[in-house]
Amino acid sequence: WVSVWARDHLAEDATVSYRVWDRDAAEYAEAVEFGSSDPEVAVWNASVSAPDMATEPGRISEAWQDADAVLLSYGHRQSADKISAQMDAVLAAVRAQSKSVPVAVLIQNPDRANTESAQRETTSEITKWADAAGFPTVDIYTAFIDDPARRNDLVEADGSPTPQGSKLWAKTLAQALAAA
Protein backbone atom coordinates (compact mmCIF):
# COMPACT_ATOMS: atom_id res chain seq x y z
CA TRP A 1 0.00 0.00 0.00
CA VAL A 2 2.86 2.39 0.68
CA SER A 3 4.12 2.23 -2.91
CA VAL A 4 0.57 2.72 -4.20
CA TRP A 5 0.15 5.78 -1.96
CA ALA A 6 3.50 7.18 -3.15
CA ARG A 7 2.78 6.50 -6.82
CA ASP A 8 -0.95 7.27 -7.06
CA HIS A 9 -1.29 10.08 -4.53
CA LEU A 10 1.96 11.76 -3.50
CA ALA A 11 3.36 11.78 -7.04
CA GLU A 12 0.36 13.77 -8.31
CA ASP A 13 2.06 16.92 -7.00
CA ALA A 14 5.69 15.91 -6.42
CA THR A 15 8.60 13.82 -7.53
CA VAL A 16 8.69 10.90 -5.13
CA SER A 17 11.79 8.85 -4.37
CA TYR A 18 10.45 5.60 -2.93
CA ARG A 19 12.60 3.04 -1.12
CA VAL A 20 11.40 -0.14 0.52
CA TRP A 21 13.14 -1.95 3.38
CA ASP A 22 14.62 -5.30 2.38
CA ARG A 23 14.16 -7.44 5.47
CA ASP A 24 16.63 -10.13 4.38
CA ALA A 25 19.40 -7.69 3.44
CA ALA A 26 18.58 -5.37 6.37
CA GLU A 27 18.86 -2.33 4.09
CA TYR A 28 16.81 -0.22 1.74
CA ALA A 29 16.44 -1.23 -1.89
CA GLU A 30 17.38 1.17 -4.67
CA ALA A 31 15.01 4.09 -5.06
CA VAL A 32 12.14 4.05 -7.53
CA GLU A 33 10.90 7.44 -8.72
CA PHE A 34 7.29 8.44 -9.28
CA GLY A 35 6.03 11.75 -10.62
CA SER A 36 7.96 14.62 -12.12
CA SER A 37 7.06 17.89 -10.45
CA ASP A 38 8.34 19.94 -7.53
CA PRO A 39 8.71 19.41 -4.64
CA GLU A 40 10.83 16.31 -4.17
CA VAL A 41 9.57 13.88 -1.54
CA ALA A 42 11.40 10.88 -0.13
CA VAL A 43 9.37 7.94 1.17
CA TRP A 44 11.28 5.40 3.25
CA ASN A 45 9.02 2.37 3.64
CA ALA A 46 10.44 0.46 6.60
CA SER A 47 7.43 -1.82 6.95
CA VAL A 48 7.70 -5.59 7.02
CA SER A 49 5.03 -8.24 7.05
CA ALA A 50 4.36 -9.72 10.49
CA PRO A 51 7.04 -7.86 12.45
CA ASP A 52 8.39 -9.46 15.60
CA MET A 53 7.27 -6.88 18.13
CA ALA A 54 9.99 -7.93 20.58
CA THR A 55 12.75 -6.98 18.12
CA GLU A 56 10.92 -4.20 16.29
CA PRO A 57 12.49 -1.34 18.31
CA GLY A 58 15.96 -2.50 17.25
CA ARG A 59 14.87 -2.77 13.62
CA ILE A 60 13.51 0.77 13.79
CA SER A 61 16.89 2.13 14.79
CA GLU A 62 18.54 0.08 12.05
CA ALA A 63 16.13 1.30 9.35
CA TRP A 64 15.83 4.89 10.58
CA GLN A 65 16.13 7.77 8.11
CA ASP A 66 15.66 11.45 8.90
CA ALA A 67 11.93 11.98 8.53
CA ASP A 68 9.41 14.80 8.36
CA ALA A 69 6.70 12.42 9.59
CA VAL A 70 6.36 8.83 10.77
CA LEU A 71 3.36 6.60 10.12
CA LEU A 72 3.05 3.78 12.65
CA SER A 73 1.15 0.80 11.29
CA TYR A 74 1.11 -2.03 13.81
CA GLY A 75 -1.29 -4.34 15.54
CA HIS A 76 -2.24 -6.80 12.88
CA ARG A 77 -2.50 -10.22 14.50
CA GLN A 78 -1.27 -8.80 17.81
CA SER A 79 -2.88 -9.33 21.20
CA ALA A 80 -5.00 -6.51 22.61
CA ASP A 81 -3.55 -7.02 26.08
CA LYS A 82 0.06 -6.56 24.85
CA ILE A 83 -0.24 -4.01 22.06
CA SER A 84 -0.03 -0.85 24.20
CA ALA A 85 3.29 -1.90 25.74
CA GLN A 86 4.54 -2.91 22.29
CA MET A 87 3.52 0.46 20.87
CA ASP A 88 5.30 2.18 23.79
CA ALA A 89 8.50 0.34 22.84
CA VAL A 90 8.09 1.27 19.16
CA LEU A 91 7.51 4.92 20.06
CA ALA A 92 10.55 4.92 22.36
CA ALA A 93 12.63 3.67 19.41
CA VAL A 94 11.26 6.44 17.19
CA ARG A 95 11.87 9.08 19.88
CA ALA A 96 15.43 7.82 20.36
CA GLN A 97 15.98 8.87 16.74
CA SER A 98 13.91 12.07 16.78
CA LYS A 99 12.32 13.74 19.78
CA SER A 100 9.98 15.85 17.67
CA VAL A 101 9.06 14.06 14.43
CA PRO A 102 5.27 14.12 13.97
CA VAL A 103 3.66 10.70 14.32
CA ALA A 104 0.34 9.38 13.02
CA VAL A 105 -1.08 5.94 13.73
CA LEU A 106 -2.77 3.77 11.13
CA ILE A 107 -5.44 1.38 12.34
CA GLN A 108 -4.67 -1.64 10.19
CA ASN A 109 -6.95 -3.56 7.86
CA PRO A 110 -8.92 -6.57 9.09
CA ASP A 111 -7.63 -10.07 8.56
CA ARG A 112 -9.18 -12.67 6.29
CA ALA A 113 -9.68 -15.01 9.22
CA ASN A 114 -12.85 -14.77 11.23
CA THR A 115 -11.20 -12.99 14.14
CA GLU A 116 -13.22 -9.78 14.08
CA SER A 117 -13.84 -9.73 17.83
CA ALA A 118 -10.13 -10.01 18.65
CA GLN A 119 -9.22 -7.51 15.94
CA ARG A 120 -11.74 -4.99 17.22
CA GLU A 121 -10.21 -5.30 20.70
CA THR A 122 -6.72 -4.70 19.31
CA THR A 123 -7.75 -1.80 17.08
CA SER A 124 -9.58 -0.27 20.03
CA GLU A 125 -6.44 -0.54 22.19
CA ILE A 126 -4.28 1.03 19.47
CA THR A 127 -6.77 3.87 19.08
CA LYS A 128 -6.77 4.45 22.85
CA TRP A 129 -2.97 4.38 22.86
CA ALA A 130 -2.76 6.92 20.02
CA ASP A 131 -5.36 9.18 21.63
CA ALA A 132 -3.49 9.11 24.96
CA ALA A 133 -0.27 10.04 23.14
CA GLY A 134 -2.03 12.81 21.21
CA PHE A 135 -1.41 11.20 17.82
CA PRO A 136 -3.91 11.40 14.97
CA THR A 137 -5.21 8.10 13.62
CA VAL A 138 -6.33 6.93 10.20
CA ASP A 139 -8.93 4.18 10.41
CA ILE A 140 -7.98 1.79 7.63
CA TYR A 141 -9.83 -1.02 9.42
CA THR A 142 -13.26 0.58 9.05
CA ALA A 143 -12.57 1.54 5.43
CA PHE A 144 -12.03 -2.16 4.68
CA ILE A 145 -15.09 -3.24 6.67
CA ASP A 146 -17.26 -0.64 4.91
CA ASP A 147 -16.00 -1.44 1.40
CA PRO A 148 -18.48 -3.58 -0.58
CA ALA A 149 -15.76 -5.87 -1.95
CA ARG A 150 -15.43 -9.35 -0.50
CA ARG A 151 -12.83 -9.52 2.26
CA ASN A 152 -10.75 -12.05 0.29
CA ASP A 153 -10.57 -9.57 -2.59
CA LEU A 154 -9.02 -6.97 -0.26
CA VAL A 155 -6.82 -9.06 2.05
CA GLU A 156 -4.23 -11.75 1.31
CA ALA A 157 -4.09 -14.97 3.33
CA ASP A 158 -1.17 -13.52 5.34
CA GLY A 159 -3.28 -10.49 6.31
CA SER A 160 -1.58 -7.98 4.04
CA PRO A 161 -3.69 -6.04 1.58
CA THR A 162 -4.16 -7.35 -1.95
CA PRO A 163 -3.49 -4.95 -4.86
CA GLN A 164 -7.16 -3.90 -4.60
CA GLY A 165 -6.82 -3.56 -0.82
CA SER A 166 -3.63 -1.53 -1.25
CA LYS A 167 -5.52 0.92 -3.45
CA LEU A 168 -8.23 1.23 -0.80
CA TRP A 169 -5.62 1.71 1.95
CA ALA A 170 -3.71 4.35 -0.04
CA LYS A 171 -6.92 6.20 -0.94
CA THR A 172 -8.10 6.17 2.69
CA LEU A 173 -4.76 7.56 3.88
CA ALA A 174 -4.66 10.22 1.14
CA GLN A 175 -8.20 11.35 1.99
CA ALA A 176 -7.38 11.54 5.69
CA LEU A 177 -4.26 13.59 5.04
CA ALA A 178 -6.12 15.93 2.70
CA ALA A 179 -8.77 16.50 5.37
CA ALA A 180 -6.17 17.20 8.09
Side-chain angles (χ1 to χ4, degrees):
W1 70 265
V2 180
S3 64
V4 174
W5 172 60
R7 182 193 67 221
D8 294 355
H9 299 280
L10 292 178
E12 288 179 343
D13 300 314
T15 298
V16 178
S17 172
Y18 173 80
R19 293 176 183 254
V20 66
W21 182 254
D22 181 331
R23 181 185 230 166
D24 295 329
E27 65 184 15
Y28 284 96
E30 290 296 318
V32 175
E33 284 200 3
F34 304 118
S36 60
S37 59
D38 287 331
E40 292 184 10
V41 176
V43 175
W44 298 90
N45 179 2
S47 64
V48 294
S49 179
D52 177 349
M53 295 303 285
T55 60
E56 190 62 4
R59 193 182 70 79
I60 289 169
S61 64
E62 184 178 27
W64 185 263
Q65 299 294 316
D66 286 336
D68 293 324
V70 171
L71 303 175
L72 298 179
S73 180
Y74 291 99
H76 203 71
R77 297 185 176 179
Q78 301 298 323
S79 170
D81 63 338
K82 295 179 181 173
I83 194 64
S84 291
Q86 292 167 334
M87 295 298 288
D88 285 341
V90 164
L91 181 60
V94 169
R95 290 296 179 230
Q97 301 301 317
S98 173
K99 300 282 185 218
S100 61
V101 68
V103 173
V105 179
L106 307 181
I107 309 302
Q108 291 188 332
N109 64 277
D111 203 346
R112 264 184 155 177
N114 189 13
T115 59
E116 191 162 338
S117 174
Q119 288 179 306
R120 287 258 183 223
E121 288 177 29
T122 302
T123 59
S124 176
E125 287 302 313
I126 292 171
T127 301
K128 287 179 198 173
W129 179 86
D131 288 347
F135 298 141
T137 59
V138 179
D139 190 356
I140 306 300
Y141 186 90
T142 299
F144 273 67
I145 295 294
D146 290 348
D147 193 276
R150 292 177 334 119
R151 179 83 49 89
N152 289 359
D153 291 339
L154 297 174
V155 181
E156 301 282 359
D158 70 355
S160 59
T162 63
Q164 182 178 347
S166 291
K167 287 180 182 178
L168 174 59
W169 188 311
K171 176 183 166 189
T172 302
L173 177 59
Q175 288 172 336
L177 292 173

